[in-house]
Amino acid sequence: AQRVTQPEKLLSVFKGAPVELKCNYSYSGSPELFWYVQYSRQRLQLLLRHISRESIKGFTADLNKGETSFHLKKPFAQEEDSAMYYCALSGGSYIPTFGRGTSLIVHP
Amino acid sequence: DTEVTQTPKHLVMGMTNKKSLKCEQHMGHRAMYWYKQKAKKPPELMFVYSYEKLSINESVPSRFSPECPNSSLLNLHLHALQPEDSALYLCASSQTRGQLDGELFFGEGSRLTVL
């Protein structure tokens, strides 16, 4: 079985502060991890996936197999980063399992 | 065209009505999905079609009936729904490079209200 845990339902920070959205996973095989983002009134879209190792909109995420984590980080949060963020794991079935999501609010 | 298009955007129906949600993509993706999303909750997988064949049905009640007429279209037929079925219904597609690719392309969704 595969499981994704996002411990924080809500994360509130001020503009310019660092932000870290936590994601832990449970999967016995070799996982593929994703972060999806849903801005207000916009479609759910891929932010980044671990195999691409890209930095998108200043966000990065590193897969830590020892800690089974894939935390999303940004050094300086912007107001436009306010959104719902979902961590997802694609395991044996290749269909992503989504975490419950973390709502990020960036205050001016 | 890199979008998944869903129609209608909003739908209000009674419990005895029959309606359909439609989804279209022209990215050449051969896997298409239906998800249900309640407010501030993650998407819940309902159905997966791979090469126009139903490959996954997540124990969805029979009042939801999916259909994949061709590689670009996906329908969800609705009949005798309950008020608790009110939700945002999301369509998604993905590539299939020998296996399903976990990168999903989502539509904007159809917001369904059952009275």
Side-chain angles (χ1 to χ4, degrees):
Chain A
Q2 56 193 57
R3 182 186 293 179
V4 176
T5 302
Q6 293 180 251
E8 303 131 335
K9 200 171 178 181
L10 172 66
L11 188 60
S12 183
V13 302
F14 285 98
K15 177 182 171 183
V19 64
E20 181 180 53
L21 289 83
K22 291 185 167 50
C23 173
N24 290 90
Y25 67 89
S26 173
Y27 181 61
S28 56
S30 186
E32 188 167 5
L33 277 299
F34 305 81
W35 277 100
Y36 283 84
V37 61
Q38 194 168 29
Y39 300 102
S40 178
R41 296 191 179 85
Q42 292 189 30
R43 70 184 70 207
L44 190 59
Q45 57 188 292
L46 181 72
L47 181 61
L48 52 82
R49 61 192 299 177
H50 88 272
I51 59 169
S52 65
R53 295 183 168 271
E54 287 180 317
S55 171
I56 307 292
K57 299 186 179 183
F59 284 98
T60 59
D62 290 316
L63 178 60
N64 185 324
K65 290 188 177 181
E67 295 183 358
T68 60
S69 68
F70 188 56
H71 302 327
L72 184 67
K73 299 177 185 178
K74 185 169 183 176
F76 307 103
Q78 303 299 314
E79 289 178 70
E80 55 265 30
D81 296 328
S82 296
M84 195 75 179
Y85 291 80
Y86 294 100
C87 182
L89 178 154
S90 180
S93 70
Y94 306 106
I95 296 171
T97 296
F98 287 88
R100 68 167 177 174
T102 298
S103 178
L104 174 65
I105 299 175
V106 181
H107 300 282
Chain B
D1 187 352
T2 57
E3 281 200 349
V4 175
T5 304
Q6 289 187 244
T7 55
K9 288 193 184 333
H10 299 275
L11 179 63
V12 179
M13 60 187 290
M15 289 191 283
T16 57
N17 292 158
K18 281 186 183 180
K19 297 283 184 184
S20 297
L21 306 181
K22 297 185 185 305
C23 174
E24 192 167 0
Q25 58 88 16
H26 295 287
M27 294 179 279
H29 292 171
R30 301 303 296 274
M32 296 186 77
Y33 309 71
W34 279 115
Y35 283 87
K36 174 182 177 181
Q37 187 179 30
K38 292 277 200 179
K40 299 200 184 295
K41 298 286 187 185
E44 298 173 37
L45 184 65
M46 299 175 73
F47 304 103
V48 180
Y49 274 83
S50 180
Y51 292 92
E52 296 87 72
K53 287 187 172 19
L54 182 65
S55 61
I56 293 180
N57 176 342
E58 291 288 296
S59 302
V60 179
S62 59
R63 57 185 183 268
F64 295 91
S65 175
E67 179 196 18
C68 190
N70 60 53
S71 60
S72 301
L73 294 174
L74 185 67
N75 298 321
L76 186 63
H77 302 299
L78 314 170
H79 175 54
L81 295 193
Q82 303 296 311
E84 60 264 29
D85 296 321
S86 298
L88 183 67
Y89 287 85
L90 298 173
C91 174
S93 68
S94 74
Q95 296 189 46
T96 49
R97 302 189 192 92
Q99 64 215 18
L100 298 176
D101 185 64
E103 179 177 351
L104 301 178
F105 292 76
F106 284 91
E108 290 184 317
S110 293
R111 187 163 298 283
L112 174 66
T113 302
V114 182
L115 301 177

